[in-house]
Amino acid sequence: MPNLWAGFASGCWAGATFRLGRATARAGTLALEAVSNEVAFLLGPALAVLAATRLHPAAGTVLAGALVVGAGLAFAALGRTAPAPVATGAATPAADRKAARRPGTLLSRSFATLLAVNLALGVFFGSMQVSVSAFAEVHHAAPAAGFLYGLKSAASLLAGLAYGRHRRRTPPAAQLPLILAFLACASLLPLLAGTPWQLGLALLLPGAGVAPCIIVSSTLVESVMDRSVLTQAFTWTNSASAAGIAVSAAAVGRLVDGPGGPRAGFTVPLLALTATAALTWSNRPGGLSAGGSGADPGRRPASRWYEHE
């Protein structure tokens, strides 16, 4: 359910920018959403642990459930924030099949690439959580695991604020592979950490790349997708991230129990982000896929980030 609400909320943010008629408001509103998520990630676990330790062991679970249900009901009551419905005309089955892969649809190449980006981010989150916990346990500092992972979230929060405050001339499609490459390089640092405090410092740089990556990815989803499927698109990207978290957490849990230990777990986000950075780089505007020596000068580039704008 939280993933569905996250998709709905992103659709509402997009609807708000459409109503304002300000393209420059996109990054700011999406940055605000990313920062609010990081605040929730920082405060939520702390509140749940505090309730469980000070009140009753079940109080943390009850509090989390109450917040999810209460916030969901409050969100559902804000009908005026919903994006305006988009009318779609009747079409024949053959026309529907042909239109299913047109630019701006859920089966387009650009959206598939953005799904891969969010899947890789989910792998980053899931594998980092397990690996950091395993690293802290190996170094007899298990209680510090939450604090160490919180440093990553704090760095992401600050980076999201900084990103939202400044306007950039570089288009989001060109920013995304650079941010992913930065995240991949920064993910090397935890492999070099030898103590918990070194790991805490090593998590700051990867954390600083998380919020900008989410903001740019959401901006591109809003840019390339048809408004009639925009909320669905955000739901799919959130689901891809959740799937990456679930699968990577399970896989890395087995890895860290093996001979490689926590370092084996830290290699998973490195590989996932490197592969995704290469994928987005090949699809960047004016990239190699846009044509080589034998390309048709009148042919549209194969890179289709802005195919619907």
Side-chain angles (χ1 to χ4, degrees):
M1 290 300 291
N3 290 317
L4 291 176
W5 291 333
F8 297 156
S10 297
C12 290
W13 281 113
T17 60
F18 283 131
R19 285 193 295 271
L20 289 172
R22 295 172 55 196
T24 55
R26 291 176 180 174
T29 55
L30 293 172
L32 181 60
E33 182 189 16
V35 167
S36 64
N37 287 338
E38 293 296 349
V39 170
F41 292 145
L42 280 171
L43 297 183
L47 290 174
V49 170
L50 186 64
T53 55
R54 295 297 180 90
L55 299 177
H56 189 275
T61 303
V62 172
L63 175 62
L67 288 173
V68 169
V69 174
L73 292 175
F75 177 74
L78 297 175
R80 66 182 183 277
T81 64
V86 179
T88 55
T92 64
D96 284 339
R97 287 193 296 270
K98 182 178 180 180
R101 296 182 182 276
R102 78 178 191 275
T105 63
L106 297 174
L107 295 180
S108 60
R109 177 182 175 182
S110 54
F111 184 61
T113 304
L114 292 170
L115 278 180
V117 170
N118 282 271
L119 180 66
L121 282 173
V123 170
F124 173 84
F125 294 139
S127 54
M128 279 293 183
Q129 288 173 0
V130 175
S131 300
V132 168
S133 297
F135 185 96
E137 185 174 353
V138 166
H139 290 81
H140 309 289
F147 173 76
L148 293 174
Y149 198 75
L151 289 175
K152 181 202 71 67
S153 296
S156 178
L157 188 155
L158 295 175
L161 288 172
Y163 186 93
R165 284 179 57 88
H166 299 286
R167 294 181 60 183
R168 287 146 296 279
R169 297 184 181 274
T170 307
Q175 295 177 37
L176 187 59
L178 298 177
I179 294 174
L180 285 167
F182 169 81
L183 262 174
C185 293
S187 295
L188 283 167
L189 296 178
L191 290 168
L192 305 177
T195 62
W197 71 266
Q198 290 177 353
L199 180 62
L201 294 177
L203 290 172
L204 292 176
L205 271 183
V210 170
C213 188
I214 294 174
I215 295 166
V216 172
S217 173
S218 297
T219 302
L220 286 169
V221 171
E222 183 185 339
S223 299
V224 304
M225 299 306 294
D226 190 279
R227 288 185 63 186
S228 63
V229 295
L230 185 58
T231 301
Q232 293 183 61
F234 279 121
T235 304
W236 275 107
T237 54
N238 279 283
S239 298
S241 180
I245 292 173
V247 173
S248 63
V252 171
R254 294 185 63 88
L255 275 178
V256 298
D257 286 337
R263 281 187 171 79
F266 286 129
T267 62
V268 174
L270 171 63
L271 295 175
L273 291 168
T274 300
T276 312
L279 175 64
T280 55
W281 180 262
S282 67
N283 287 333
R284 75 194 188 282
L288 296 177
S289 61
S293 57
D296 182 356
R299 181 172 168 265
R300 287 192 68 187
S303 175
R304 295 181 180 271
W305 289 110
Y306 290 99
E307 57 195 355
H308 189 66
E309 285 193 330

